[in-house]
Amino acid sequence: MMSWRTVTVLGSIATIERMFRKFREVIDTDESISPELRLSLHATLDERLLFGKERLFGSIGRQDGAAAMPISPPRNNSQ
């Protein structure tokens, strides 16, 4: 069984993803937006969505007293 915090975070993520989907629809249907700007806006949305998800998942870890798990493994920059 999932904790109420996890359920709340998952619900928040679903809401945020719906909002971002609506932004994408507006970007894709507005003829005044150039293709280059469209690509840039979509890239920005992707970045912000990932950042928001990481923050929300991190809040679960902090509230449960554990360290938050990163979504992707850290990069080894020494290579």
Side-chain angles (χ1 to χ4, degrees):
M1 188 166 120
M2 286 192 273
S3 73
W4 64 271
R5 287 184 186 117
T6 303
V7 172
T8 302
V9 166
L10 292 175
S12 296
I13 288 173
T15 301
I16 291 168
E17 286 178 338
R18 280 193 300 274
M19 287 178 5
F20 275 63
R21 204 173 311 123
K22 291 291 183 185
F23 284 138
R24 289 179 191 284
E25 287 175 17
V26 170
I27 291 167
D28 289 338
T29 57
D30 188 342
E31 296 298 323
S32 67
I33 299 175
S34 70
E36 297 84 15
L37 180 57
R38 234 173 257 219
L39 290 173
S40 177
L41 291 171
H42 282 299
T44 301
L45 285 175
D46 290 341
E47 180 183 323
R48 300 308 298 172
L49 182 59
L50 284 175
F51 178 73
K53 285 181 180 181
E54 287 176 355
R55 286 190 61 188
L56 285 169
F57 281 124
S59 70
I60 294 173
R62 285 190 303 277
Q63 290 174 359
D64 291 339
M69 294 295 296
I71 291 177
S72 59
R75 294 181 184 173
N76 185 353
N77 292 332
S78 63
Q79 296 176 346

Coordinates of all heavy atoms in Angstrom, one line a residue:
M1 N 0.8 -1.2 0.0 CA 0.0 0.0 0.0 C 0.9 1.2 0.0 O 1.9 1.3 0.7 CB -0.9 0.0 1.2 CG -1.9 1.1 1.2 SD -3.2 0.7 2.5 CE -3.0 2.2 3.5
M2 N 0.5 2.2 -0.8 CA 1.3 3.5 -0.9 C 0.9 4.4 0.2 O -0.3 4.4 0.6 CB 1.1 4.1 -2.3 CG 1.7 3.5 -3.4 SD 1.7 4.5 -4.9 CE 0.1 4.0 -5.6
S3 N 1.9 5.2 0.6 CA 1.6 6.2 1.7 C 0.7 7.3 1.0 O 0.7 7.5 -0.2 CB 2.9 6.8 2.2 OG 3.5 7.6 1.3
W4 N 0.1 8.1 1.9 CA -0.7 9.2 1.4 C 0.1 10.2 0.7 O -0.3 10.9 -0.2 CB -1.6 9.8 2.5 CG -0.8 10.5 3.6 CD1 -0.3 9.9 4.7 CD2 -0.3 11.8 3.6 NE1 0.4 10.8 5.4 CE2 0.4 12.0 4.8 CE3 -0.5 12.9 2.8 CZ2 1.0 13.2 5.2 CZ3 0.1 14.1 3.1 CH2 0.8 14.3 4.3
R5 N 1.4 10.4 1.2 CA 2.3 11.3 0.5 C 2.6 10.9 -0.9 O 2.6 11.8 -1.8 CB 3.6 11.4 1.3 CG 3.5 12.1 2.6 CD 4.9 12.3 3.3 NE 4.7 12.8 4.6 CZ 5.0 12.2 5.7 NH1 5.5 11.0 5.7 NH2 4.9 12.8 6.9
T6 N 2.9 9.6 -1.1 CA 3.2 9.1 -2.4 C 2.0 9.3 -3.4 O 2.1 9.8 -4.5 CB 3.6 7.6 -2.4 OG1 4.7 7.5 -1.5 CG2 3.9 7.1 -3.8
V7 N 0.8 9.0 -2.9 CA -0.4 9.2 -3.7 C -0.6 10.7 -4.0 O -1.0 11.0 -5.2 CB -1.7 8.6 -2.9 CG1 -2.9 9.0 -3.6 CG2 -1.5 7.1 -2.7
T8 N -0.4 11.5 -3.1 CA -0.5 13.0 -3.3 C 0.4 13.5 -4.4 O 0.1 14.2 -5.3 CB -0.4 13.8 -2.0 OG1 -1.3 13.3 -1.0 CG2 -0.5 15.3 -2.2
V9 N 1.7 13.0 -4.2 CA 2.7 13.4 -5.2 C 2.4 12.9 -6.6 O 2.5 13.6 -7.6 CB 4.1 13.0 -4.8 CG1 5.1 13.1 -5.9 CG2 4.6 13.8 -3.5
L10 N 2.0 11.7 -6.7 CA 1.6 11.1 -8.0 C 0.4 11.8 -8.6 O 0.4 12.1 -9.8 CB 1.3 9.6 -7.9 CG 2.5 8.7 -7.5 CD1 2.1 7.3 -7.3 CD2 3.6 8.8 -8.6
G11 N -0.5 12.2 -7.8 CA -1.7 13.0 -8.3 C -1.2 14.4 -8.8 O -1.7 14.9 -9.8
S12 N -0.2 15.0 -8.0 CA 0.3 16.3 -8.4 C 1.0 16.2 -9.8 O 0.9 17.1 -10.6 CB 1.2 16.8 -7.4 OG 0.6 17.1 -6.2
I13 N 1.8 15.1 -9.9 CA 2.5 14.9 -11.2 C 1.6 14.8 -12.3 O 1.8 15.3 -13.4 CB 3.5 13.7 -11.0 CG1 4.7 14.1 -10.1 CG2 4.0 13.3 -12.4 CD1 5.6 13.0 -9.8
A14 N 0.5 14.0 -12.1 CA -0.5 13.8 -13.2 C -1.1 15.2 -13.6 O -1.3 15.5 -14.8 CB -1.6 12.8 -12.7
T15 N -1.4 16.0 -12.6 CA -2.0 17.3 -12.9 C -1.0 18.2 -13.6 O -1.3 18.9 -14.6 CB -2.3 18.0 -11.6 OG1 -3.3 17.2 -10.9 CG2 -2.9 19.4 -11.8
I16 N 0.3 18.2 -13.2 CA 1.3 19.0 -13.9 C 1.5 18.5 -15.3 O 1.6 19.3 -16.2 CB 2.6 18.9 -13.1 CG1 2.5 19.6 -11.8 CG2 3.8 19.5 -13.9 CD1 3.6 19.4 -10.8
E17 N 1.5 17.2 -15.5 CA 1.7 16.6 -16.9 C 0.5 17.1 -17.8 O 0.7 17.4 -19.0 CB 1.8 15.1 -16.9 CG 3.2 14.7 -16.4 CD 3.3 13.2 -16.3 OE1 2.3 12.5 -16.2 OE2 4.5 12.7 -16.3
R18 N -0.7 17.1 -17.2 CA -1.9 17.6 -18.0 C -1.7 19.1 -18.4 O -2.0 19.5 -19.6 CB -3.2 17.4 -17.3 CG -3.7 16.0 -17.3 CD -5.1 15.9 -16.8 NE -5.3 16.3 -15.4 CZ -5.1 15.5 -14.4 NH1 -4.8 14.3 -14.6 NH2 -5.3 16.0 -13.2
M19 N -1.2 19.9 -17.5 CA -1.0 21.3 -17.8 C 0.1 21.4 -18.9 O -0.1 22.2 -19.8 CB -0.5 22.0 -16.5 CG -1.6 22.2 -15.5 SD -1.1 23.1 -14.0 CE 0.6 23.5 -14.2
F20 N 1.2 20.7 -18.8 CA 2.2 20.8 -19.8 C 1.7 20.3 -21.1 O 2.1 20.8 -22.2 CB 3.4 19.9 -19.4 CG 4.4 20.7 -18.5 CD1 4.0 21.2 -17.2 CD2 5.7 21.0 -18.9 CE1 4.8 21.9 -16.4 CE2 6.6 21.7 -18.1 CZ 6.1 22.1 -16.8
R21 N 0.8 19.3 -21.1 CA 0.2 18.8 -22.4 C -0.6 19.9 -23.1 O -0.5 20.1 -24.3 CB -0.6 17.6 -22.1 CG -0.8 16.7 -23.3 CD -1.5 15.4 -23.0 NE -1.0 14.7 -21.9 CZ -1.7 14.3 -20.8 NH1 -3.0 14.6 -20.7 NH2 -1.1 13.7 -19.8
K22 N -1.3 20.7 -22.2 CA -2.1 21.8 -22.8 C -1.2 22.9 -23.3 O -1.5 23.5 -24.4 CB -3.0 22.4 -21.7 CG -4.1 21.5 -21.3 CD -5.1 21.4 -22.4 CE -6.3 20.5 -22.0 NZ -7.2 20.3 -23.0
F23 N -0.1 23.2 -22.6 CA 0.9 24.1 -23.2 C 1.4 23.7 -24.5 O 1.6 24.5 -25.4 CB 2.1 24.3 -22.2 CG 1.8 25.1 -21.0 CD1 2.3 24.8 -19.8 CD2 1.1 26.3 -21.1 CE1 2.0 25.5 -18.6 CE2 0.8 27.1 -20.0 CZ 1.3 26.7 -18.7
R24 N 1.7 22.4 -24.6 CA 2.2 21.8 -25.9 C 1.2 22.0 -27.0 O 1.6 22.3 -28.1 CB 2.6 20.4 -25.7 CG 3.8 20.2 -24.9 CD 4.1 18.7 -24.8 NE 5.1 18.4 -23.8 CZ 6.4 18.6 -23.9 NH1 6.9 19.1 -25.1 NH2 7.3 18.4 -23.0
E25 N -0.1 21.8 -26.7 CA -1.1 21.9 -27.7 C -1.2 23.4 -28.2 O -1.3 23.6 -29.4 CB -2.5 21.5 -27.1 CG -2.7 20.0 -26.9 CD -4.0 19.7 -26.2 OE1 -4.9 20.6 -26.2 OE2 -4.1 18.6 -25.7
V26 N -1.1 24.3 -27.3 CA -1.1 25.7 -27.6 C 0.1 26.1 -28.5 O 0.0 26.7 -29.5 CB -1.1 26.6 -26.4 CG1 -0.9 28.1 -26.8 CG2 -2.4 26.5 -25.6
I27 N 1.3 25.6 -28.1 CA 2.5 25.8 -28.9 C 2.4 25.2 -30.3 O 2.7 25.9 -31.3 CB 3.7 25.2 -28.2 CG1 4.0 26.0 -26.9 CG2 5.0 25.2 -29.1 CD1 5.0 25.3 -26.0
D28 N 1.8 24.0 -30.4 CA 1.8 23.4 -31.7 C 0.7 23.9 -32.6 O 0.8 23.8 -33.8 CB 1.5 21.9 -31.5 CG 2.8 21.2 -31.0 OD1 3.9 21.7 -31.1 OD2 2.6 20.1 -30.4
T29 N -0.4 24.5 -32.0 CA -1.5 25.0 -32.9 C -1.4 26.5 -33.2 O -2.1 27.0 -34.0 CB -2.8 24.7 -32.2 OG1 -2.8 25.3 -30.9 CG2 -3.1 23.2 -32.1
D30 N -0.5 27.2 -32.5 CA -0.3 28.7 -32.8 C 0.6 28.9 -34.0 O 1.8 28.6 -33.9 CB 0.3 29.4 -31.6 CG 0.2 30.9 -31.7 OD1 0.1 31.4 -32.8 OD2 0.4 31.5 -30.6
E31 N 0.0 29.3 -35.1 CA 0.7 29.5 -36.3 C 1.7 30.6 -36.3 O 2.6 30.7 -37.1 CB -0.3 29.8 -37.5 CG -1.2 28.6 -37.7 CD -0.5 27.3 -38.2 OE1 0.5 27.5 -38.9 OE2 -0.9 26.2 -37.8
S32 N 1.6 31.5 -35.3 CA 2.6 32.6 -35.2 C 3.9 32.2 -34.6 O 4.9 33.0 -34.6 CB 2.0 33.8 -34.4 OG 1.8 33.4 -33.1
I33 N 4.0 31.0 -34.1 CA 5.2 30.5 -33.4 C 6.1 29.8 -34.5 O 5.6 28.9 -35.1 CB 4.9 29.6 -32.2 CG1 4.1 30.3 -31.2 CG2 6.2 29.0 -31.7 CD1 3.7 29.4 -30.0
S34 N 7.3 30.3 -34.7 CA 8.2 29.7 -35.7 C 8.6 28.3 -35.3 O 8.6 28.0 -34.1 CB 9.4 30.6 -35.9 OG 10.3 30.5 -34.7
P35 N 9.0 27.4 -36.2 CA 9.4 26.1 -35.9 C 10.6 26.0 -34.9 O 10.7 25.2 -34.1 CB 9.8 25.5 -37.2 CG 9.0 26.2 -38.2 CD 8.9 27.6 -37.7
E36 N 11.6 26.9 -35.1 CA 12.7 27.0 -34.2 C 12.3 27.3 -32.8 O 12.8 26.7 -31.8 CB 13.7 28.0 -34.7 CG 14.3 27.7 -36.1 CD 13.4 28.2 -37.2 OE1 12.5 29.0 -37.0 OE2 13.6 27.8 -38.3
L37 N 11.4 28.3 -32.6 CA 11.0 28.6 -31.3 C 10.1 27.5 -30.7 O 10.2 27.2 -29.5 CB 10.1 29.9 -31.4 CG 9.6 30.4 -30.0 CD1 10.7 30.6 -29.0 CD2 8.8 31.7 -30.2
R38 N 9.4 26.8 -31.5 CA 8.6 25.7 -31.1 C 9.5 24.6 -30.4 O 9.2 24.1 -29.4 CB 7.9 25.1 -32.3 CG 6.4 24.9 -32.1 CD 5.8 24.5 -33.4 NE 5.2 25.7 -34.0 CZ 4.1 25.8 -34.6 NH1 3.5 24.7 -34.9 NH2 3.6 26.9 -35.1
L39 N 10.5 24.3 -31.2 CA 11.5 23.3 -30.6 C 12.1 23.7 -29.3 O 12.2 22.9 -28.4 CB 12.6 23.0 -31.7 CG 12.2 22.3 -32.9 CD1 13.4 22.2 -33.9 CD2 11.8 20.9 -32.6
S40 N 12.4 25.0 -29.2 CA 13.0 25.5 -28.0 C 12.0 25.5 -26.9 O 12.4 25.1 -25.7 CB 13.5 27.0 -28.3 OG 14.0 27.5 -27.1
L41 N 10.8 25.9 -27.1 CA 9.7 25.8 -26.1 C 9.5 24.4 -25.6 O 9.3 24.2 -24.4 CB 8.5 26.5 -26.6 CG 8.5 28.0 -26.8 CD1 7.2 28.4 -27.5 CD2 8.7 28.7 -25.5
H42 N 9.5 23.5 -26.5 CA 9.2 22.1 -26.1 C 10.4 21.5 -25.3 O 10.2 20.8 -24.3 CB 9.0 21.2 -27.3 CG 7.7 21.3 -27.9 ND1 6.5 20.9 -27.2 CD2 7.2 21.6 -29.1 CE1 5.5 21.1 -28.0 NE2 5.9 21.5 -29.2
A43 N 11.6 21.9 -25.7 CA 12.8 21.5 -24.9 C 12.8 22.1 -23.5 O 13.1 21.4 -22.5 CB 14.1 21.9 -25.6
T44 N 12.4 23.4 -23.4 CA 12.2 24.0 -22.1 C 11.2 23.3 -21.2 O 11.4 23.1 -20.0 CB 11.9 25.5 -22.2 OG1 12.9 26.1 -23.0 CG2 11.8 26.2 -20.9
L45 N 10.0 23.0 -21.8 CA 9.0 22.3 -21.1 C 9.5 20.9 -20.6 O 9.2 20.6 -19.5 CB 7.7 22.1 -22.0 CG 6.9 23.3 -22.2 CD1 5.8 23.0 -23.2 CD2 6.3 23.9 -20.9
D46 N 10.2 20.2 -21.5 CA 10.7 18.9 -21.0 C 11.7 19.1 -19.8 O 11.6 18.3 -18.9 CB 11.5 18.3 -22.2 CG 10.6 17.8 -23.3 OD1 9.4 17.6 -23.1 OD2 11.2 17.6 -24.4
E47 N 12.5 20.0 -19.9 CA 13.5 20.3 -18.8 C 12.8 20.6 -17.5 O 13.1 20.1 -16.5 CB 14.4 21.4 -19.2 CG 15.5 21.8 -18.2 CD 16.3 22.9 -18.7 OE1 16.6 23.0 -19.9 OE2 16.7 23.7 -17.8
R48 N 11.8 21.5 -17.6 CA 11.1 22.0 -16.4 C 10.2 20.9 -15.8 O 10.1 20.8 -14.6 CB 10.2 23.2 -16.7 CG 11.0 24.4 -17.2 CD 12.2 24.8 -16.3 NE 11.7 25.2 -15.0 CZ 12.5 25.4 -14.0 NH1 13.8 25.4 -14.1 NH2 11.9 25.8 -12.8
L49 N 9.7 20.0 -16.7 CA 8.8 18.9 -16.2 C 9.7 17.9 -15.5 O 9.3 17.5 -14.4 CB 8.1 18.2 -17.4 CG 7.2 17.1 -17.0 CD1 6.1 17.5 -16.1 CD2 6.6 16.5 -18.3
L50 N 10.9 17.6 -16.0 CA 11.8 16.7 -15.3 C 12.2 17.3 -13.9 O 12.3 16.6 -12.9 CB 13.0 16.3 -16.1 CG 12.7 15.3 -17.3 CD1 14.0 15.2 -18.1 CD2 12.3 14.0 -16.7
F51 N 12.5 18.6 -14.0 CA 13.0 19.2 -12.7 C 11.9 19.2 -11.7 O 12.1 18.9 -10.5 CB 13.4 20.7 -13.0 CG 13.8 21.4 -11.8 CD1 15.0 21.2 -11.2 CD2 13.0 22.4 -11.3 CE1 15.4 21.9 -10.1 CE2 13.3 23.1 -10.2 CZ 14.5 22.9 -9.6
G52 N 10.6 19.5 -12.1 CA 9.5 19.4 -11.2 C 9.2 18.0 -10.6 O 9.0 17.9 -9.4
K53 N 9.3 17.0 -11.5 CA 9.2 15.7 -11.0 C 10.2 15.3 -10.0 O 9.9 14.7 -8.9 CB 9.2 14.7 -12.1 CG 8.0 14.7 -13.0 CD 8.1 13.6 -14.1 CE 7.0 13.6 -15.0 NZ 7.1 12.6 -16.1
E54 N 11.5 15.6 -10.2 CA 12.5 15.3 -9.3 C 12.3 16.0 -7.9 O 12.5 15.4 -6.9 CB 13.9 15.8 -9.9 CG 14.4 14.9 -11.0 CD 15.7 15.4 -11.6 OE1 16.2 16.5 -11.2 OE2 16.2 14.7 -12.5
R55 N 11.8 17.2 -8.0 CA 11.6 18.0 -6.7 C 10.4 17.3 -6.0 O 10.5 17.1 -4.7 CB 11.2 19.4 -7.0 CG 12.4 20.2 -7.4 CD 12.2 21.7 -7.4 NE 11.7 22.1 -6.1 CZ 11.2 23.3 -5.8 NH1 11.1 24.2 -6.8 NH2 10.9 23.7 -4.6
L56 N 9.4 16.9 -6.7 CA 8.3 16.3 -6.0 C 8.7 14.9 -5.4 O 8.3 14.6 -4.3 CB 7.1 16.1 -6.9 CG 6.3 17.4 -7.2 CD1 5.3 17.2 -8.4 CD2 5.6 17.8 -6.0
F57 N 9.4 14.1 -6.2 CA 9.8 12.8 -5.7 C 10.8 13.0 -4.5 O 10.8 12.2 -3.6 CB 10.5 12.0 -6.8 CG 9.4 11.3 -7.6 CD1 9.5 11.5 -9.0 CD2 8.5 10.5 -7.1 CE1 8.5 10.9 -9.8 CE2 7.5 9.9 -7.9 CZ 7.5 10.0 -9.3
G58 N 11.6 14.0 -4.6 CA 12.6 14.3 -3.5 C 11.8 14.7 -2.2 O 12.3 14.4 -1.1
S59 N 10.7 15.4 -2.4 CA 9.9 15.7 -1.2 C 9.4 14.5 -0.4 O 9.3 14.5 0.8 CB 8.8 16.7 -1.5 OG 7.8 16.0 -2.3
I60 N 9.1 13.4 -1.2 CA 8.7 12.2 -0.5 C 9.8 11.7 0.4 O 9.7 11.3 1.5 CB 8.3 11.1 -1.5 CG1 7.0 11.5 -2.3 CG2 8.0 9.8 -0.8 CD1 6.7 10.6 -3.4
G61 N 11.0 11.6 -0.2 CA 12.2 11.1 0.5 C 12.5 11.9 1.8 O 12.8 11.4 2.8
R62 N 12.4 13.2 1.6 CA 12.7 14.1 2.8 C 11.7 14.0 3.9 O 12.0 13.9 5.0 CB 12.8 15.6 2.3 CG 14.1 15.9 1.6 CD 14.3 17.4 1.4 NE 13.2 18.0 0.7 CZ 13.0 18.0 -0.7 NH1 13.9 17.4 -1.4 NH2 12.0 18.6 -1.2
Q63 N 10.4 13.8 3.5 CA 9.3 13.7 4.4 C 9.4 12.4 5.2 O 9.0 12.2 6.3 CB 8.0 13.9 3.8 CG 7.8 15.3 3.4 CD 6.5 15.5 2.6 OE1 5.7 14.6 2.3 NE2 6.2 16.7 2.2
D64 N 9.9 11.3 4.5 CA 10.0 10.0 5.1 C 11.3 9.8 5.8 O 11.5 8.8 6.4 CB 9.8 8.9 4.0 CG 8.4 8.9 3.4 OD1 7.5 9.3 4.1 OD2 8.3 8.3 2.3
G65 N 12.1 10.9 5.8 CA 13.4 10.8 6.6 C 14.5 10.1 5.8 O 15.5 9.8 6.4
A66 N 14.3 9.8 4.6 CA 15.3 9.1 3.8 C 15.8 10.0 2.7 O 15.2 11.0 2.4 CB 14.7 7.8 3.1
A67 N 17.0 9.7 2.2 CA 17.6 10.5 1.1 C 16.8 10.3 -0.1 O 16.4 9.1 -0.4 CB 19.0 10.2 0.9
A68 N 16.5 11.3 -0.9 CA 15.8 11.1 -2.1 C 16.6 10.4 -3.2 O 17.8 10.7 -3.3 CB 15.3 12.5 -2.6
M69 N 16.0 9.6 -3.9 CA 16.7 8.8 -5.0 C 16.7 9.7 -6.2 O 15.6 10.1 -6.6 CB 16.1 7.5 -5.2 CG 16.2 6.5 -4.1 SD 17.9 6.1 -3.7 CE 18.3 5.2 -5.2
P70 N 17.8 9.9 -6.9 CA 17.8 10.6 -8.2 C 17.1 9.8 -9.2 O 17.1 8.5 -9.2 CB 19.2 10.8 -8.5 CG 20.0 9.8 -7.8 CD 19.1 9.5 -6.5
I71 N 16.5 10.4 -10.2 CA 15.8 9.7 -11.3 C 16.8 9.0 -12.2 O 16.6 7.9 -12.7 CB 14.9 10.7 -12.1 CG1 13.7 11.1 -11.2 CG2 14.4 10.1 -13.4 CD1 12.8 12.1 -11.8
S72 N 17.9 9.7 -12.4 CA 19.0 9.1 -13.3 C 20.3 9.1 -12.4 O 20.4 9.9 -11.5 CB 19.2 9.9 -14.5 OG 19.5 11.2 -14.2
P73 N 21.1 8.1 -12.7 CA 22.4 8.0 -11.9 C 23.3 9.3 -12.2 O 23.2 9.8 -13.2 CB 23.0 6.8 -12.4 CG 22.4 6.5 -13.7 CD 21.1 7.1 -13.7
P74 N 24.0 9.6 -11.2 CA 24.9 10.8 -11.3 C 26.0 10.5 -12.4 O 26.4 9.4 -12.6 CB 25.6 11.0 -10.0 CG 25.3 9.8 -9.2 CD 24.1 9.1 -9.8
R75 N 26.4 11.5 -13.1 CA 27.4 11.4 -14.2 C 28.8 11.4 -13.6 O 29.0 12.1 -12.6 CB 27.3 12.5 -15.2 CG 26.0 12.5 -15.9 CD 26.0 13.6 -16.9 NE 24.7 13.7 -17.6 CZ 24.3 14.6 -18.4 NH1 25.1 15.6 -18.7 NH2 23.1 14.6 -18.9
N76 N 29.6 10.6 -14.2 CA 31.0 10.6 -13.7 C 31.8 11.5 -14.7 O 32.1 11.2 -15.8 CB 31.6 9.2 -13.8 CG 33.0 9.1 -13.3 OD1 33.6 10.1 -13.0 ND2 33.5 7.9 -13.1
N77 N 32.1 12.7 -14.3 CA 32.7 13.8 -15.1 C 34.2 13.6 -15.2 O 34.9 14.4 -15.9 CB 32.4 15.2 -14.6 CG 30.9 15.5 -14.9 OD1 30.3 14.9 -15.8 ND2 30.3 16.3 -14.0
S78 N 34.8 12.7 -14.4 CA 36.2 12.5 -14.4 C 36.8 11.8 -15.6 O 38.0 11.7 -15.8 CB 36.7 11.8 -13.2 OG 36.2 10.5 -13.2
Q79 N 35.9 11.2 -16.5 CA 36.4 10.5 -17.6 C 36.6 11.4 -18.8 O 36.1 12.3 -19.1 CB 35.4 9.4 -18.0 CG 35.2 8.4 -17.0 CD 34.1 7.4 -17.3 OE1 33.4 7.6 -18.2 NE2 34.1 6.3 -16.6

